[in-house]
Amino acid sequence: MDKYPAKMRYQDVGYAGHYDGARYQTRWAQFKNKQTHQTLMKALAFLKPGSTIIDLPCGTGRFGAFLSGLGFRWIGSDISAQMMAKSQEKVKGNDRVLGHIRSDAEILPFRDKSVDCFLSIRFLPHLPPDVKQNALKEMARVSRQWLIIDHTYRNPYKAFWRDIGTKIGVGSGGKKRPTKEEVFQEIERAGLRIHRVFPVSRFFSDNMLLLCSKV
Ligand SMILES: C[S@@+](CC[C@H](N)C(=O)[O-])C[C@H]1O[C@@H](n2cnc3c(N)ncnc32)[C@H](O)[C@@H]1O
């Protein structure tokens, strides 16, 4: 099994502390976090109340209290015990949180069709193509119906702002993103159907949330 940077980097107490602290403390980071939560709400509207959701990778638990607060039953899973330890602290005593399970996305320790929905945020764009296919197939196997996944894409409006930033010397020019169609093809190749696409912001973000189901 591949050892790609995103798999290794977070298995470190220092990095987990940094992610949980600095990552979401600036105003800009908080704004982006809020946008993601608001977009997620739109996809969650398709789930039945009380549905069970596996959040992989749960990281430091960005969505545990949020989803359980909306009435969903939540399971956090991640390869990094260090990241999950932070998540565990946040949901201690929450009876809609069914637990945390350490796992590798390519070989999930969950039974077929064991949850209503699989949630995966800030994960797939970090994976090498083969790993991404394996992970998507595993997520589809474990879910009874829904998958909510996010992915970056080449948003021409965002690229425009980014280019201006580069010209005036702020920002690094950013990463090369796949087109929306390329992302859709990868997801469909793993045997999933895309029901709805929710851009995080039509003009200012190159992130979208996809509500998918099994074909
Ligand atoms: C950018 S963080 C995203 C965490 C969370 N979803 C969020 O939005 O805050 C990426 C996470 O992916 C986890 N990860 C990387 N490779 C993994 C794998 N093969 N299986 C499970 N988790 C993995 C890392 O440990 C890390 O917690």
Side-chain angles (χ1 to χ4, degrees):
M1 224 157 284
D2 282 4
K3 283 187 178 174
Y4 43 91
K7 187 171 181 176
M8 310 313 295
R9 188 189 304 143
Y10 298 90
Q11 300 193 53
D12 174 89
V13 178
Y15 205 93
H18 162 78
Y19 190 87
D20 208 39
R23 180 115 215 154
Y24 295 106
Q25 272 168 13
T26 66
R27 287 235 172 132
W28 177 241
Q30 282 168 9
F31 169 71
K32 281 176 53 176
N33 201 23
K34 196 170 162 196
Q35 273 190 321
T36 305
H37 282 74
Q38 284 169 344
T39 313
L40 182 55
M41 291 281 281
K42 295 181 193 167
L44 292 169
F46 288 78
L47 270 60
K48 291 198 185 100
S51 291
T52 307
I53 301 175
I54 291 184
D55 178 2
L56 179 141
C58 66
T60 56
R62 190 148 69 112
F63 302 108
F66 171 69
L67 291 173
S68 57
L70 293 173
F72 297 109
R73 293 185 299 156
W74 182 85
I75 299 162
S77 186
D78 201 289
I79 201 158
S80 163
Q82 294 83 347
M83 294 287 274
M84 276 199 301
K86 298 266 171 207
S87 175
Q88 277 161 329
E89 283 167 22
K90 289 179 191 158
V91 291
K92 223 178 257 171
N94 184 330
D95 55 13
R96 291 210 189 96
V97 171
L98 307 185
H100 286 81
I101 297 172
R102 185 164 183 243
S103 69
D104 186 329
E106 285 189 87
I107 33 161
L108 293 174
F110 304 106
R111 286 197 310 267
D112 295 2
K113 301 184 182 174
S114 50
V115 292
D116 301 300
C117 178
F118 212 105
L119 174 71
S120 187
I121 307 284
R122 297 196 74 233
F123 183 48
L124 295 172
H126 295 295
L127 305 182
D130 293 358
V131 176
K132 195 189 290 187
Q133 282 298 304
N134 293 341
L136 281 167
K137 285 178 190 161
E138 274 295 85
M139 292 176 190
R141 177 184 69 74
V142 170
S143 175
R144 271 190 280 279
Q145 184 177 11
W146 297 114
L147 288 92
I148 302 174
I149 54 190
D150 90 330
H151 212 292
T152 43
Y153 70 104
R154 200 178 304 153
N155 178 349
Y157 297 108
K158 175 76 193 269
F160 172 78
W161 295 118
R162 192 177 271 145
D163 286 350
I164 290 184
T166 310
K167 277 184 194 135
I168 62 171
V170 290
S172 58
K175 293 182 191 137
K176 194 175 178 304
R177 308 286 190 208
T179 63
K180 231 184 219 182
E181 290 67 32
E182 284 167 344
V183 176
F184 294 170
Q185 275 166 19
E186 269 190 312
I187 288 167
E188 284 163 357
R189 198 164 352 115
L192 293 167
R193 176 181 295 144
I194 299 165
H195 278 261
R196 288 287 180 99
V197 181
F198 303 100
V200 170
S201 159
R202 208 169 286 282
F203 298 110
F204 300 112
S205 169
D206 39 24
N207 250 288
M208 58 184 169
L209 247 70
L210 304 168
L211 175 70
C212 308
S213 71
K214 296 200 259 188
V215 171

